[in-house]
Amino acid sequence: MQYPEFQFLSSKASQAEQRCYAFGIFEKNDTTPDTTHLTGEPLYHDVLMPLIKESQFTGKQGTTATANCFHTAGKVILVGLGKQEAIDQETIRQAAGLVYRTCAQLHSPSVVIHFATLLTQQNHLKAFAEGTLLAAYLDERFKSKKDTTITHLKKVYLLNAIEDDQTIQLAQQIITGANLARDLVNAPANHVTPSMLAETATELAQRHHLTLNILEKEDCARLGMGAYLSVTQGSSQPPKFIHLCYKPKSPNPPSAKIALIGKGVTFDSGGLNLKIGNAQIELMKYDMAGAAAVLGAAEAIGAIKPNKEIHFIIAATENMINGNATKPGDIVTASNGKTIEIDNTDAEGRLTLADALVYAEKLGVDAIVDLATLTGAMVVALGTRMAGIFGTDAQLINSLMAASPRTGEKIWQMPLESAYFEHMHSIVADMRNTGSKKGAGSITAALFLQQFVEKTAWAHLDIAGAVWTEKPWSYYNAGATGFGVRLLVDWLLNS
Ligand code: BES
Ligand code: MN
Ligand code: ZN
């Protein structure tokens, strides 16, 4: 990825050689923009006001207007920021993305940003850089010809911004992680196999000096991971149980020990309960998006180096069919001794996570957070722009929920209604892996996971809808969103 460089501009004199200016405009009311902060601009009378009038620009969030500017022999872009009192980090992140997109279409390799005094705040500067770097993401790895209808920004000049290179660097570290997650999710299952996830973890471990333990099939068998291994049985790809760990170097003990678990099913065919009809089997390369988020977080955490010990865990596998494949009705034993009747081989994510949760709890961590594209029911409940969060520990859930608005990655708390666990009753085993009744599919899945956590604070994010977008929106182009990386990193750094 070619990312633009940010540069702080201290004087307007140095703008002279720039060809493109982006002005953030507030909305006064539904019909009029607030132009008070523009009156001192040299371009105010000849360019900005005529453009506002002609395009009937109101400053509404998400809108743009562009014009050629004869004074600078370049372009002027207006970007709606919405009402000034409603500005938050996500407004700015989205506006930055919009500036990026607009410049790309206008073939401008550089831009000067005039966002009033918004970027004098550190959190706004960070959001601006994030929006820019997220919008810069374009996956052309599998295209034989690159898109020549756009020009990628090379330089972003920030005017009236706090000169804080560290904040820019932090944004770069986080978005490098988010975009790694997008790369992993966008790549198809013939490229991203469990072994490839393990190689990615190996590369991260080397570059950031993390410790890495990869458990092979036999190691997992020795640990009694019968639930996880049952999913791997029908695949020709060897499973890889990945355990990456970041330990701070500081002489002080870490302020917390955390385990992050990501569902890493690199392709979910459904198994013998094959995905048919509108089950979207062709999209199931993204069933490792939880794993991608965890590896993306490892990329960022390895660079940022906070004072927390963080474990990154992925029970990677494909869910496929061959003569060894798990059959509906099979009974397996998880590594905590609990027995599971596999009622439906397509409810495989929870089987892989069960053994990962048991493994994580044995590490003696303070909290476990898992991310999984676990249920289609989650997409029905919350759609594609937010994820559901489940758990038993109010403090853990609240701290994750607090990180959400700062990052723009939306999460909504779902109930862990224990009464529904009876739907998972099995005649022959401790439990079944699916609910006997229709309805509450995301909740029964979360209740199933809860069976594999004894006493550690635990939160489960069902990210099934949020990891993929069919259409571009905001700073995302179509495809993987990298959901979870920004949320996890913000939560790890700020709680
Ligand atoms: N990976 C799917 C969940 C999924 C479905 C994610 C659609 C994103 C979009 C998961 O393994 C699955 O198949 N879940 C089943 C569970 C059911 C069999 C109880 C589902 O949601 O249909
Ligand atoms: Mn499935
Ligand atoms: Zn799945």
Side-chain angles (χ1 to χ4, degrees):
M1 204 61 49
Q2 266 294 66
Y3 290 121
E5 219 180 281
F6 296 91
Q7 199 171 309
F8 298 105
L9 273 193
S10 40
S11 84
K12 299 201 179 190
S14 50
Q15 297 175 39
E17 82 267 21
Q18 307 320 322
R19 295 293 172 100
C20 189
Y21 303 99
F23 290 88
I25 313 276
F26 301 114
E27 181 183 24
K28 195 192 273 170
N29 55 46
D30 290 346
T31 52
T32 356
D34 182 347
T35 55
T36 41
H37 69 284
L38 295 176
T39 47
E41 294 295 341
L43 300 177
Y44 181 71
H45 286 291
D46 295 347
V47 184
L48 297 179
M49 277 327 279
L51 175 56
I52 287 173
K53 284 225 175 68
E54 184 195 317
S55 62
Q56 299 185 329
F57 197 75
T58 63
K60 188 174 146 61
Q61 203 192 335
T63 61
T64 56
T66 59
N68 287 319
C69 171
F70 299 106
H71 296 262
T72 63
K75 314 267 186 191
V76 164
I77 305 171
L78 306 181
V79 188
L81 299 173
K83 302 243 163 59
Q84 188 159 10
E85 59 277 12
I87 296 279
D88 63 6
Q89 288 158 86
E90 181 61 5
T91 317
I92 294 178
R93 202 178 281 111
Q94 295 202 7
L98 206 50
V99 169
Y100 189 97
R101 289 278 155 75
T102 311
C103 289
Q105 278 154 15
L106 294 174
H107 296 289
S108 177
S110 71
V111 64
V112 183
I113 304 297
H114 300 244
F115 267 32
T117 55
L118 289 178
L119 303 185
T120 55
Q121 271 186 48
Q122 211 172 36
N123 58 351
H124 287 171
L125 179 67
K126 174 167 170 277
F128 187 93
E130 288 178 350
T132 305
L133 299 170
L134 285 164
Y137 179 86
L138 185 66
D139 184 11
E140 294 187 314
R141 289 171 297 170
F142 304 102
K143 300 264 193 193
S144 61
K145 288 194 184 76
K146 301 224 180 298
D147 185 350
T148 52
T149 64
I150 58 167
T151 300
H152 285 279
L153 267 179
K154 296 205 169 48
K155 281 243 170 189
V156 179
Y157 297 95
L158 302 166
L159 205 64
N160 276 331
I162 173 176
E163 292 200 20
D164 184 352
D165 289 315
Q166 250 180 315
T167 292
I168 298 284
Q169 195 190 8
L170 178 62
Q172 286 165 334
Q173 290 162 330
I174 294 169
I175 303 307
T176 301
N179 289 346
L180 167 64
R182 294 164 88 180
D183 267 348
L184 289 169
V185 175
N186 278 329
N190 61 331
H191 287 258
V192 176
T193 56
S195 300
M196 191 278 190
L197 288 180
E199 279 163 33
T200 304
T202 308
E203 192 274 323
L204 285 172
Q206 285 166 351
R207 197 153 39 78
H208 294 305
H209 308 288
L210 313 177
T211 59
L212 175 64
N213 191 8
I214 294 182
L215 309 187
E216 305 295 336
K217 185 175 157 189
E218 303 71 39
D219 304 313
C220 297
R222 231 171 284 127
L223 291 171
M225 296 184 172
Y228 166 49
L229 290 176
S230 74
V231 180
T232 73
Q233 267 169 226
S235 168
S236 308
Q237 290 290 337
K240 300 282 170 180
F241 188 103
I242 301 164
H243 176 192
L244 255 182
C245 178
Y246 163 76
K247 282 200 175 85
K249 289 250 158 47
S250 131
N252 312 320
S255 65
K257 286 190 185 184
I258 307 290
L260 305 177
I261 301 176
K263 172 176 171 182
V265 175
T266 58
F267 188 73
D268 180 11
S269 72
L272 279 162
N273 294 97
L274 187 65
K275 287 191 182 290
I276 50 166
N278 57 3
Q280 294 196 293
I281 192 172
E282 68 283 357
L283 272 177
M284 284 303 143
K285 65 173 183 181
Y286 73 43
D287 214 15
M288 38 54 75
V294 162
L295 290 174
E299 164 73 64
I301 290 300
I304 300 166
K305 305 195 189 307
N307 189 36
K308 281 190 176 128
E309 181 177 310
I310 305 162
H311 298 264
F312 307 90
I313 297 165
I314 298 160
T317 180
E318 288 183 332
N319 185 23
M320 296 290 285
I321 308 173
N322 65 20
N324 292 321
T326 293
K327 298 166 284 295
D330 283 1
I331 297 175
V332 296
T333 307
S335 44
N336 66 348
K338 293 194 180 176
T339 60
I340 304 159
E341 179 185 5
I342 301 179
D343 181 56
N344 188 319
T345 58
D346 198 9
E348 84 298 339
R350 61 197 78 183
L351 297 169
T352 67
L353 292 168
D355 284 321
L357 287 164
V358 172
Y359 180 94
E361 188 158 33
K362 282 192 203 142
L363 299 170
V365 292
D366 304 310
I368 303 172
V369 178
D370 79 71
L371 293 90
T373 47
L374 202 60
T375 63
M378 197 71 253
V379 194
V380 174
L382 296 181
T384 56
R385 296 216 180 176
M386 58 188 75
I389 180 168
F390 301 77
T392 42
D393 189 288
Q395 208 195 331
L396 176 60
I397 290 177
N398 290 341
S399 63
L400 281 157
M401 302 250 291
S404 173
R406 295 194 292 260
T407 61
E409 295 195 314
K410 295 188 182 174
I411 54 177
W412 189 260
Q413 191 176 356
M414 299 287 293
L416 199 54
E417 176 49 61
S418 59
Y420 296 155
F421 191 64
E422 67 179 37
H423 296 182
M424 316 287 275
H425 175 76
S426 164
I427 297 173
V428 282
D430 294 346
M431 66 193 98
R432 310 193 317 171
N433 72 333
T434 52
S436 57
K437 295 212 176 78
K438 278 224 156 86
S442 304
I443 301 176
T444 49
L447 288 168
F448 180 91
L449 297 182
Q450 194 186 6
Q451 292 296 308
F452 301 90
V453 187
E454 240 165 60
K455 52 181 195 295
T456 310
W458 158 73
H460 156 60
L461 277 80
D462 192 334
I463 58 174
V467 299
W468 188 260
T469 176
E470 283 296 320
K471 292 202 175 102
W473 61 279
S474 173
Y475 35 73
Y476 297 121
N477 43 36
T481 60
F483 189 93
V485 176
R486 287 182 279 144
L487 182 81
L488 287 174
V489 175
D490 187 287
W491 172 70
L492 288 166
L493 299 183
N494 299 307
S495 61

